[in-house]
Amino acid sequence: MSGSTIIPWVVGNWKMNPLQANAEQLIHDLKQCFSQVEISAQSCHVGVAPVSIALLNVQDQLRGSMINTVAQDVSRIAGLGAYTGEVSAELLSDSGIQFVLVGHSERREIFSDTAEVVKEKVKNALSAGLTVIYCVGESLEQREKGHAEQVVLQQICDIAAIVQAEKWQKIIIAYEPIWAIGTGKTASPEDAQTMHAKIREGLSQITAEGKNIAILYGGSVKPENAVELAACPDIDGALVGGASLNAESFYQIAQAFAKTK
Ligand code: PEP
């Protein structure tokens, strides 16, 4: 147990997975794992982010469990209207979804979500009352050039202008070095801690809430490295991709944070 008052968060990002039959099995297994008494919502917040077409079904099936349902993305357009294919923050909120990932590196890199677009998404999500898991992280090239901190702190600053003082409590940061996502490479706990401490310092300069904002680490987190990561004072949880598709692995990661923090 550390002295921090932040309850850790462990969130599984299912990305464009799995097929429905496998999702049914995964949800069944997750419910079974998380019904064990070792973890409670007081020791660790837990969420899973399914594909958008499965959000309501997953939410329904997880009702009564400690697992929250998280959207993987939100439209940069607010409200309702003629925007084919889009899902707005208001529609998410109207469906009872309270959490959303914004700025994941796959959105930024593959779908050209610029800093401006990401900012609009954060703004809309907050206006609709959602909690935003805001993803930041540097590329390998940026790290090798020694620009990692500057890139990440700039991504934090990008949203500073549009997050009103009272809304910082609705922000969770996920630091995900792009070179560690889905590659099996993890930042060393020391490197991750160093970046998390810098992020904490940056946030504290922006808002009095800085010390209370959860900063999650993401990038090939698995049961084998979760305990070490959880032991770092400024790592308040994990955003988990691949390993979240296995209920037992995901549970073990959550357990590591619940027990260590
Ligand atoms: C992610 O997609 O946010 C992620 C961290 O993926 P993985 O755990 O597979 O690296």
Side-chain angles (χ1 to χ4, degrees):
M1 289 263 176
S2 77
S4 166
T5 55
I6 299 173
I7 296 176
W9 263 101
V10 173
V11 178
N13 177 10
W14 292 357
K15 309 193 186 192
M16 204 165 73
N17 298 295
L19 292 175
Q20 215 168 319
N22 297 334
E24 298 282 334
Q25 184 64 48
L26 178 56
I27 292 165
H28 171 270
D29 295 347
L30 280 170
K31 279 165 79 173
Q32 207 151 48
C33 285
F34 282 91
S35 65
Q36 298 172 52
V37 286
E38 289 149 337
I39 304 184
S40 70
Q42 283 71 48
S43 60
C44 187
H45 295 304
V46 176
V48 293
V51 290
S52 60
I53 47 166
L55 272 171
L56 297 191
N57 186 24
V58 170
Q59 177 180 239
D60 233 34
Q61 293 194 55
L62 291 176
R63 215 176 294 284
S65 80
M66 63 172 287
I67 308 171
N68 296 282
T69 307
V70 179
Q72 293 181 12
D73 192 28
V74 64
S75 179
R76 70 179 180 82
I77 308 286
L80 307 174
Y83 301 101
T84 305
E86 291 294 283
V87 179
S88 69
E90 284 76 4
L91 286 172
L92 290 175
S93 170
D94 186 53
S95 296
I97 302 296
Q98 298 175 43
F99 304 94
V100 62
L101 300 176
V102 179
H104 192 282
S105 61
E106 285 154 15
R107 298 292 326 167
R108 293 183 194 256
E109 291 206 320
I110 306 170
F111 300 99
S112 310
D113 278 11
T114 60
E116 203 48 44
V117 167
V118 169
K119 224 158 84 171
E120 285 170 17
K121 291 182 172 187
V122 171
K123 192 169 158 198
N124 293 343
L126 292 176
S127 301
L130 305 181
T131 293
V132 172
I133 301 168
Y134 178 61
C135 304
V136 297
E138 81 286 357
S139 65
L140 185 57
E141 192 188 352
Q142 289 164 332
R143 174 156 284 258
E144 285 174 347
K145 284 186 176 158
H147 297 163
E149 273 174 27
Q150 184 195 329
V151 167
V152 168
L153 292 177
Q154 181 56 53
Q155 288 169 334
I156 303 278
C157 286
D158 286 345
I159 62 162
I162 51 110
V163 181
Q164 294 156 332
E166 73 281 6
K167 291 285 187 182
W168 280 103
Q169 54 184 322
K170 293 271 193 183
I171 297 280
I172 295 167
I173 304 290
Y175 166 59
E176 301 200 298
I178 299 169
W179 47 271
I181 296 180
T183 58
K185 291 183 196 154
T186 323
S188 69
E190 295 74 25
D191 284 347
Q193 165 57 31
T194 302
M195 183 62 88
H196 280 233
K198 287 280 169 203
I199 295 172
R200 174 101 53 224
E201 195 182 308
L203 287 168
S204 298
Q205 284 168 14
I206 295 168
T207 165
E209 280 296 318
K211 61 180 184 317
N212 301 320
I213 296 175
I215 308 171
L216 320 187
Y217 172 78
S220 300
V221 177
K222 28 189 189 291
E224 294 77 13
N225 56 26
V227 174
E228 263 191 316
L229 290 164
C232 298
D234 289 296
I235 298 184
D236 306 312
L239 181 53
V240 187
S244 71
L245 293 169
N246 179 293
E248 184 56 37
S249 298
F250 185 61
Y251 177 72
Q252 285 176 25
I253 295 168
Q255 212 180 14
F257 279 91
K259 282 189 173 165
T260 313
K261 292 291 174 187

